[in-house]
Amino acid sequence: MLELVVLLAAQGAAAAAPRPAPPRAGLSWAEADALDVKLEAIDKRQKNGRTARAETVEISESELNSYVNLKLKIPEGVTDVALHLDRERVAATALVDLDKVQAKPASSSWNPMSLLGGRVPVSLRGKLVAQDDGFASIEFEEVKLGALPLPPTALEQLVVAATKSRENPEGLDVLAPFRLPYSMKRVRLQPGRAFLEF
């Protein structure tokens, strides 16, 4: 009997596919899974027509970073995304391979951005402006491509170019207001935490 239990346990362990190690310290499959469970519960409730009333779901910064880096499909050539949540503000950094994402805007060769290529660190910081009608926007306060400060409109061009696809030929406009997912009323940011309000 003991041999049968050991054999079944070994088969179960072999059936579970091992996950690769997270690409950097601070990321965790357990935290990525925890956020995945929260989002699936919200999605299931919404699909069943049961919208949450006066509910708040808390997401930690470490859950968000783990989910984005380990589970979310981000554009090819964008790696090492790090998000930092503060009081109504968000900061993000990432490594962007400008050649892979083809994110250089088509413009004059006199534009200094036309000289950039390869993997470049990108950092941005902005204020989350959340309204109570289910919409939000980000007012960008600082945008840098490498050491080069950029106006928010240049970031918009880069993101649009990097996110164009067959399903979304216009790309993503990061300066436009956006509808919050899952029928959320608003999002509040605090140091290290996001609160999704329904």
Side-chain angles (χ1 to χ4, degrees):
M1 181 68 167
L2 181 60
E3 292 174 351
L4 179 60
V5 171
V6 171
L7 179 63
L8 289 174
Q11 286 178 342
R19 291 178 161 177
R24 70 168 193 263
L27 300 180
S28 150
W29 281 105
E31 289 189 306
D33 291 340
L35 179 50
D36 206 10
V37 167
K38 291 177 186 180
L39 295 178
E40 284 177 8
I42 294 168
D43 188 49
K44 183 177 180 182
R45 193 170 48 234
Q46 186 180 26
K47 284 180 180 172
N48 290 336
R50 295 192 311 263
T51 55
R53 300 257 183 237
E55 180 183 354
T56 300
V57 176
E58 181 179 341
I59 295 173
S60 73
E61 185 176 282
S62 54
E63 285 175 329
L64 184 59
N65 277 298
S66 294
Y67 182 82
V68 166
N69 284 278
L70 300 175
K71 290 198 164 200
L72 194 65
K73 183 173 170 43
I74 53 180
E76 184 183 356
V78 178
T79 58
D80 204 21
V81 177
L83 300 165
H84 176 68
L85 305 177
D86 208 342
R87 189 170 306 280
E88 303 311 329
R89 281 177 166 69
V90 62
T93 59
L95 282 176
V96 178
D97 188 328
L98 295 177
D99 300 320
K100 278 191 181 176
V101 298
Q102 299 175 349
K104 289 188 239 181
S107 61
S108 163
S109 59
W110 293 102
N111 183 338
M113 287 181 57
S114 66
L115 303 174
L116 295 173
R119 291 169 49 115
V120 179
V122 175
S123 62
L124 51 96
R125 185 173 43 86
K127 180 180 181 183
L128 178 69
V129 180
Q131 302 163 356
D132 291 331
D133 62 356
F135 281 85
S137 60
I138 298 178
E139 293 177 356
F140 289 98
E141 299 167 333
E142 180 180 80
V143 178
K144 286 187 177 180
L145 185 63
L148 180 67
L150 297 177
T153 52
L155 172 69
E156 177 190 29
Q157 293 173 2
L158 290 170
V159 173
V160 164
T163 57
K164 282 184 180 179
S165 65
R166 236 181 320 160
E167 298 80 25
N168 186 15
E170 300 298 316
L172 177 66
D173 182 357
V174 292
L175 298 184
F178 53 91
R179 181 178 293 281
L180 296 170
Y182 306 116
S183 302
M184 274 184 259
K185 288 196 169 45
R186 69 189 302 257
V187 175
R188 287 185 300 111
L189 300 181
Q190 296 293 328
R193 295 276 182 271
F195 298 91
L196 315 182
E197 296 182 353
F198 294 88

